[in-house]
Amino acid sequence: MSTHDHFDPSRRAFLGAATGGTALTIAGLPSQALARINAPHDHEELKKTTEVFGFCDMCYWRCGLKIRSRDGRAVKIDGNTEHPNNWGVVCAKGNSGLMVAYAPNRLKYPMKRVGKRGENKWKQISWDEALDTVATELNKAKEKYGPQTLALIGHGSWEKPYHRLAHAFGTPNTTSPVFGLCCGPRGVSNMIIMGRNLTGNETIDLENCKYFLMMGRNITESLHNGETLGWVNGVANGAKVVYFDPRYSITAAKADEYYAIRPLTDHAFLLAMINVVINEELYDKQFIAEYVVGFDELKERVQKYTPEWAEPITEVPAQDIRRLAKEMAAKAPSVFVYAPRRMTRTSNDFGTGMAITILNTLFGVWGRKGGVFTPQNYKVPEIDLPKFEHATANRIDVGGDFNYEQPEIPIAHIQDKDGKYQRADGAGVMGRWPIANPQYGLTNEMWKAMAEQRPYPVKALMTAGGNGFLNSTNYDIIRKALETVDFYVATDVIPNEMNMYADILLPEASYLERYDDLQVGGGREGYVAVRMPAMKPLHGTRDAWTICKQLADRMDLGAYFPHDSIKELIDDRLKKAGSSLAEIEKVGILKIPADPKKNFPLDHGGKLKIKTPSGSSKAEMIPGMLKMMGYDKALDYVEQVRPNEDEFHMTFGRIGFHTHARTQDNVWTADLMRENVLWIHPESAAKRGINEGDLVKVSDRKGRSGEIKAKVTIRIRKDTIFMVHGFGHWDSRMTTANGKGLADSDLASYEVDPSIGSMSMGLSLVKVEKV
Amino acid sequence: MNEQAKLYLLASGLFNQPTHNRIKDLHCLIDELLQTMPEWEILKALKPHLKYSEDLETEYSRLFILSFPNEAVQPFASYWIESDHSLMGNSTLEVKRMMLEHGIEIAENTGLLPDHIVSELEFIAYLVSQDDEKSQQTQQQLLEQHCSYWIPLFITALNKANPIPYYQLSANYLKQLMIPT
């Protein structure tokens, strides 16, 4: 089959015989251009079942997989029993991964926008034309505005090569929503107090934990296989579960105790717990003496946060707060205060996160069985690359996720004293969001920078997966950003409302159809895992690395992609680690065995190694860095919004079989939930004449509104409504999800945490009325 | 190549990406067919619409690739045959196997699946052009047990999508070619 569109009557016609080499010429037929079929060399694809290893892309936990293929197509996804992220378990989302590859609506060919941005009018173009256009337009923007004018927002696929491409291009403006829209507050809290990350694949010794205090950590629905499995085993081993959530989730149903805490007030409850633990001397005295500084100042600081103070704020009885503190202390250090997965809710998530870290630290959970283990890391060196001129230092260089070494210069200057470009989103920039992680950036602020073209022109956008609308909030800003940039190229496997605005749309091969760079993780066992293709890429799709390599070659950045293929890169990295691609392909994962002495040093006579960003070798209860910057006020409670009599707190969250806004168009996951509904308490519903299944209108104070069906249930507070996240799509290309349910993201608040710049999505107050 | 094969080849080309060269070739093909089949009104009706334009490419993308403003006109048999609308279903493999039995496969880098309407119609054209019993059997099997199920659904969806005249006529042509009255 030809890819040429040229008329060439001398060539073989559109068909040929497979054997004997006799070409069938069709007299008078002018058309190689018509031809789409040609002869095979053999029937090589009709083979028996084969099996390859991979890791999942259906959520961000990245479970290890074994994928069976037959006749050239992947037919079954199973878990890799050796992978510590899931120990062989695959969830509903993971099983539905096949329908990412086989989705009728997936992006299939490179497309060029021919209508207005967002109008969804396209023309299929060749890869060469698409890549040439992208390279030309990006270079044009660079010439006019400088390399910092490019923003890269990645989310959803294995986005590493895109970050490398952007850094090679010369921009520091690479970002992923993980900090500003999801886990940032708890990540930075653990880092600034303990020098530990504790996000991503959390290093909690769940199986041996004896007491879980779960602050809205809905582990059975916002689930990750290895984590949920560990928690279930912990519960089976006798752990007590105390769960806090304005909604009676499935996790609440599995808990020993449930508190329908008043929304947004977790911080008040936690401060009262700290108060009791300190004043009643329930903390781990030896741990505090050896590993903690700032205890006395903390003690003084929390005196005002008594359980009696917290009770009217949280609606958790003071006597229960005292009892819970004592119960936990009795089980410490095999206890854990569990932060919610997404922690961008209140106007002081940073304070909430720090209170959780402090409480865990008071119980001495670090490096202890049943607490937080110290992970081991499989050392796989990165490939040798030329230096990135302007990119922020990577996490390996700074020994953690958070780089505080930022120069003090005015915002108006776009370069620091060393000539490095400052991030447009202000993450890690003095005078803006110095505590925010410049590795991931503040995606919410990056959208704003593009919309407002401040502090400097951000005129080119590349997105790798993600959905700026449904994964964020403030659609006006997102839309304005997408309409303001000079050039926008989107790569993804699936269509969505954001990539609908692209000038050039590049279709990626799904995770079942490609090699990717290695997954290097740290658990009790250190590991490195491989992703192998279970089938050839369908349609006209290409893998992420190849797309980036081919773009880099066109922009004279080939030195940053020195290998001819991603396979070569993997092999190169593994050989530096004493293995090879051939070796890892046999097993899918290479591991360093768990070592209790390293995982739980304090239980084996060892010491805990601490290094906080300010250089302290002890945990800082009142982080010096914060005091220096004037941000330590975040340790104190900040009063949260309260709804008027006729209003509700607007809450949203996940369900076990959908991931963010990425799976609603997947026919298999949609079979489990096709649209979301509004949870409302029967008394609140009755006041408004709302019955089960009624269509209701939800409106916020900013004038935004939407319609959704009601689910009348006692499983929610009377002052709170809830909906599952990720629904309410309006992209007509998503024929399964389009028009189903309501987008919480168009109702969530878009204020930001004043300390770290992450979004405070839970501040929205809404009215509900029957339509 | 016999006339019947050319008719299927024309159908295949009509549903393929309408590039400059392809449109030019389709024009030639229609001229050839009209010489021997002047009575086919649909061919005469189609001919003036065989002009390349960006609008035509945009309409092609809208209908068959990713816009679907009111109706999914998926050009894959599997979409219409499989209960979950998945691509690469067993129905795709059946067609792939049939092709392989005749020494045919979809070439790399074309971006087409075996059960894409372009592939299937061109395969039928190939079968029709062959003068052996096996090809006739395969053709019959493909038409009766496969195409007859999904092509009518595809045509109905295409008509519902309010296509421009080029594709209205192409749908009509496909119907006349594939669906016995």
Side-chain angles (χ1 to χ4, degrees), chain B residues 2-67:
Chain B
N2 58 44
E3 298 306 306
Q4 191 70 7
K6 289 179 187 173
L7 290 173
Y8 282 109
L9 198 58
L10 175 62
S12 172
L14 287 171
F15 290 100
N16 208 337
Q17 186 186 4
T19 59
H20 275 288
N21 288 324
R22 185 163 291 119
I23 292 291
K24 201 167 71 181
D25 290 344
L26 287 171
H27 213 281
C28 294
L29 188 52
I30 265 196
D31 280 343
E32 269 190 49
L33 285 164
L34 278 171
Q35 283 175 22
T36 53
M37 312 173 96
E39 73 286 1
W40 255 49
E41 292 297 325
I42 186 71
L43 294 178
K44 282 191 269 185
L46 262 168
K47 191 176 169 185
H49 292 282
L50 291 174
K51 289 177 190 156
Y52 174 82
S53 71
E54 192 154 79
D55 286 347
L56 183 57
E57 288 233 47
T58 305
E59 179 71 342
Y60 168 78
S61 297
R62 177 184 81 92
L63 292 169
F64 308 121
I65 301 184
L66 48 59
S67 288

Side-chain angles (χ1 to χ4, degrees), chain A residues 239-355:
Chain A
K240 178 169 181 173
V241 177
V242 184
Y243 183 75
F244 293 75
D245 195 329
R247 182 179 71 107
Y248 190 80
S249 66
I250 291 177
T251 307
K254 306 296 177 193
D256 298 282
E257 285 187 44
Y258 164 64
Y259 291 90
I261 190 168
R262 198 166 73 77
L264 311 174
T265 65
D266 292 15
H267 192 199
F269 164 78
L270 292 160
L271 287 168
M273 285 284 288
I274 294 169
N275 174 294
V276 175
V277 170
I278 290 178
N279 286 338
E280 300 196 21
E281 299 190 6
L282 301 172
Y283 51 88
D284 185 327
K285 294 183 181 64
Q286 191 182 339
F287 185 88
I288 297 298
E290 191 169 356
Y291 291 109
V292 166
V293 292
F295 178 81
D296 292 339
E297 190 178 343
L298 174 70
K299 182 176 180 179
E300 192 183 324
R301 203 156 179 150
V302 298
Q303 285 310 304
K304 60 186 170 188
Y305 301 124
T306 63
E308 287 70 25
W309 164 82
E311 180 173 324
I313 297 173
T314 61
E315 297 180 12
V316 180
Q319 62 189 23
D320 285 353
I321 297 174
R322 287 202 162 80
R323 176 176 54 80
L324 295 175
K326 285 174 190 164
E327 282 182 5
M328 279 198 89
K331 299 287 184 184
S334 298
V335 300
F336 192 67
V337 186
Y338 227 132
R341 179 75 181 170
R342 178 183 63 81
M343 202 172 175
T344 46
R345 304 175 180 215
T346 77
S347 61
N348 187 14
D349 289 312
F350 186 33
T352 311
M354 287 195 290

Side-chain angles (χ1 to χ4, degrees), chain A residues 301-408:
Chain A
R301 203 156 179 150
V302 298
Q303 285 310 304
K304 60 186 170 188
Y305 301 124
T306 63
E308 287 70 25
W309 164 82
E311 180 173 324
I313 297 173
T314 61
E315 297 180 12
V316 180
Q319 62 189 23
D320 285 353
I321 297 174
R322 287 202 162 80
R323 176 176 54 80
L324 295 175
K326 285 174 190 164
E327 282 182 5
M328 279 198 89
K331 299 287 184 184
S334 298
V335 300
F336 192 67
V337 186
Y338 227 132
R341 179 75 181 170
R342 178 183 63 81
M343 202 172 175
T344 46
R345 304 175 180 215
T346 77
S347 61
N348 187 14
D349 289 312
F350 186 33
T352 311
M354 287 195 290
I356 288 173
T357 308
I358 287 169
L359 201 47
N360 277 325
T361 305
L362 289 171
F363 288 131
V365 304
W366 304 94
R368 306 285 275 276
K369 191 177 177 186
V372 178
F373 62 78
T374 303
Q376 298 197 83
N377 292 301
Y378 200 110
K379 290 187 176 52
V380 187
E382 287 287 351
I383 56 169
D384 298 324
L385 292 175
K387 197 179 171 191
F388 296 120
E389 203 177 342
H390 296 289
T392 310
N394 65 41
R395 69 174 75 181
I396 294 165
D397 292 340
V398 297
D401 269 4
F402 300 90
N403 178 8
Y404 295 92
E405 295 171 10
Q406 297 295 330
E408 289 188 50

Side-chain angles (χ1 to χ4, degrees), chain A residues 1-7 14-19 24-46 70-73 99 101-109 111-112 114 120-125 495 505 535-536 538-540 667-668 731-735 738, chain B residues 1 6 9-10 12-13 16-17 19 21-22 24-26 28-29 32 52 54-55 57-62 64-72 74 76 79 84-90 93 96-97 99-113 116 118-120 122-123 125-127 129-130:
Chain A
M1 189 173 297
S2 172
T3 56
H4 299 277
D5 286 333
H6 306 292
F7 168 46
F14 74 112
L15 299 168
T19 54
L24 178 67
T25 307
I26 303 165
L29 221 194
S31 186
Q32 187 68 20
L34 293 173
R36 308 299 291 191
I37 298 176
N38 68 1
H41 298 296
D42 56 37
H43 296 187
E44 63 183 355
E45 286 195 76
L46 290 185
R70 192 181 299 138
D71 298 330
R73 61 176 184 157
M99 273 304 283
Y102 304 140
N105 293 341
R106 70 180 281 192
L107 301 177
K108 301 183 185 81
Y109 312 104
M111 306 299 286
K112 177 184 175 184
V114 293
N120 237 345
K121 284 180 81 172
W122 307 91
K123 175 186 166 185
Q124 181 183 346
I125 56 175
L505 192 48
M535 57 199 274
K536 289 177 182 170
L538 296 182
H539 315 292
V667 178
W668 287 3
D731 183 348
S732 61
R733 298 172 298 178
M734 305 173 80
T735 55
N738 183 23
Chain B
M1 172 178 272
K6 289 179 187 173
L9 198 58
L10 175 62
S12 172
N16 208 337
Q17 186 186 4
T19 59
N21 288 324
R22 185 163 291 119
K24 201 167 71 181
D25 290 344
L26 287 171
C28 294
L29 188 52
E32 269 190 49
Y52 174 82
E54 192 154 79
D55 286 347
E57 288 233 47
T58 305
E59 179 71 342
Y60 168 78
S61 297
R62 177 184 81 92
F64 308 121
I65 301 184
L66 48 59
S67 288
F68 312 135
N70 53 5
E71 191 72 26
Q74 291 284 0
F76 306 93
Y79 173 83
D84 57 4
H85 293 310
S86 74
L87 306 190
M88 287 293 282
N90 288 333
L93 291 191
K96 185 176 176 178
R97 284 202 183 92
M99 288 180 174
L100 288 176
E101 281 169 12
H102 289 269
I104 300 292
E105 72 173 356
I106 304 298
E108 297 223 1
N109 302 324
T110 59
L112 289 178
L113 299 183
H116 192 284
V118 171
S119 312
E120 288 198 0
E122 192 169 331
F123 181 44
Y126 167 76
L127 294 170
S129 71
Q130 302 302 292

